[in-house]
Amino acid sequence: MNISVFGCGYVGLTTAIGLAELGNHVTGVDIDAQKIELLCQGVAPFFEPGLQELLIRQLSEKRLNFTNDARTAIEQSNVIFCAVGTPPLKDHYADLSAVLVVAKDFSLYSNNAKFFINKSTVPIGTSEEISRIISANGKGKFSHRIISNPEFLREGSALQDFFHPDRIIIGLAQDDKESRQLMENLYRPFTDRGVPMFFTDIRSSEVIKYASNCFLATRLSFVNELANFCELAGADIKEVTKGVGLDHRIGHLFFEAGIGFGGSCLPKDLHALIEIGKTHQFDFSILKAAEKVNQRQPYRIMQVLHQIYPNLKGKTIAVWGLSFKPGTDDLRDAPSLILLYALLQEKVNIKVYDPAAIPKIRKIFGTSLSYPRDYYSALKDSDALLLLTEWDVFHNPDYRKIKSLMRHYYILDGRNIFNPAEMAKHGFHYYGIGRKNSWLPAAGVSQPKAQKFYTSSLSSQRKLKSSRSRVKFGL
Ligand code: NAD
């Protein structure tokens, strides 16, 4: 099959490379000229395990090429995937402008009947809007097919998820046999080994995408809220989630407490569905609560830090891990950003280390932070260590070395990767989210105090994001 994939970001590039691996001839299209130049030279523009190697292989086997010439790509393909970004607008509704541009290009440059397959996450009803644009601009010359094929890959394991999806969701018109046949052929390598392919109507497929992400987001906020409660109740969240997760109806995945979820999908899609609800006069109260919990959660680390050091000015804090999760350099909506802004506001010296995200964090924070060459160097003369992303490399550190470098032995673990008893044995004051055995006075901070802290932190974060503060911090 000759396929064009519009958008060469995390989803589009993974899809383009994956489809080429399946034997198709694929053109990756992007408006970002620099990205296309890098890709043509065989350089992946972001970090994703295994992507670089497969990119080089597919380029050399000549099944994959890249361009910013939308017209030629559309003319030469019978199938067009749309995987462009849908970032939140100021009012948090998804920005559909890139999707609509691709739809317009598709209608203007199509030289025969083609398939338009949308992978971008879009509000319910967008596929109908795409259809309208294509019919209006194409003047009905060709009978194009519009298919919704939402994407569920996770950054950090994008290729693995492409080749081993839990399910493939396809939304199409009930009588569209041609599209059904096309999708069955395209994904046959997966369905042949048992991957379920679920055909449904287009609107339901659009809801399925949001519902999946919002369910996961709500589950995480639930477990984070439970962790905060455990601290006050003298229970241990790790024990609680183990016990609860043994119920098959609940399970253990996406059931770990921490400083909250980030990334390009969960926070964005959660808020988008709340906004989409409003357009239908529907109040998603459960999603609003999940969002509120997530916005507060990173500040739990600041609360504890304040319990240790009521005045943080001049302290040196080491930060291990910045990306929103391990295995990616993506910083979009990462909780680390919230904490870095909060620490900078309190005039803390911050030394950061991340195995992949340093180039991106440097672009945001410039000289406001220090960037030691490795994670041990980040600890030199530090008054506390904050662990914010659970990269593998941090799991078994040399504790003696850590002690020889830190000024004060406070470790605040935002991802609960260490064992409190073991940390105490090594002589650290260790705090994990919702963990027992905490050396902290009392059982955490009372809720009214926490509320006050969150509220003032949120308002200072808003101020920090204002242009004046960005200049102040050289951002
Ligand atoms: P991204 O920001 O990494 O990439 C989007 C790309 O689209 C950019 O390279 C941009 O230059 C390009 N683009 C914009 N307008 C274009 C146009 N008119 N023609 C060609 N290219 C254009 O985004 P992403 O993370 O890959 O996400 C893409 C979509 O998939 C979003 O809707 C997102 O919500 C959804 N999604 C993302 C993930 C994820 O983990 N990142 C998972 C599932 C679904």
Side-chain angles (χ1 to χ4, degrees), residues 460-472 475:
S460 57
Q461 193 199 339
R462 267 194 293 275
K463 274 190 223 141
L464 269 164
K465 282 189 174 165
S466 74
S467 52
R468 205 158 54 90
S469 305
R470 287 175 68 81
V471 170
K472 189 167 133 202
L475 307 183

Side-chain angles (χ1 to χ4, degrees), residues 216-228 230 236-245 250-262 266 293-294 297 324 326 335 390 395 413-418 430 432-435:
L216 294 174
T218 307
R219 188 175 157 105
L220 287 174
S221 277
F222 170 73
V223 80
N224 285 334
E225 183 125 284
L226 204 57
N228 298 342
C230 282
D236 188 312
I237 190 66
K238 281 265 185 193
E239 295 297 307
V240 172
T241 49
K242 247 184 234 165
V244 173
I250 299 173
H252 293 290
L253 291 177
F254 259 72
F255 207 47
E256 295 280 354
I259 48 167
F261 55 82
L266 260 51
V293 169
N294 195 54
Q297 195 62 11
F324 84 93
E390 67 277 32
H395 281 253
D413 179 357
R415 300 296 177 184
N416 288 350
I417 68 169
F418 298 122
Y430 172 78
I433 307 269
R435 304 304 309 270

Side-chain angles (χ1 to χ4, degrees), residues 80 82 102-103 106 114-118 130 134 145-147:
I80 279 79
C82 175
V102 178
F106 176 87
K114 297 178 194 288
F115 296 89
F116 184 101
I117 305 174
N118 183 48
I130 291 171
I134 291 175
R145 311 290 169 139
I146 318 297
I147 302 166

Side-chain angles (χ1 to χ4, degrees), residues 23 52 67 74 122 152 159 163 172 209 233 256 265 309 316 324 366 382 399:
Q52 178 65 64
T67 182
I74 291 168
V122 291
F152 299 96
L159 276 171
F163 289 109
L172 35 71
K209 173 63 201 173
E256 295 280 354
C265 291
Y309 300 117
T316 298
F324 84 93
S382 61
Y399 296 112

Side-chain angles (χ1 to χ4, degrees), residues 12 18 47 66 124 144 148 181 212 265 317 338 343 355 372 389 426:
F47 174 74
F66 294 96
I124 294 82
H144 300 301
S148 160
Q181 184 70 59
S212 303
C265 291
I317 305 289
I338 292 172
L343 291 170
T389 314
H426 287 293

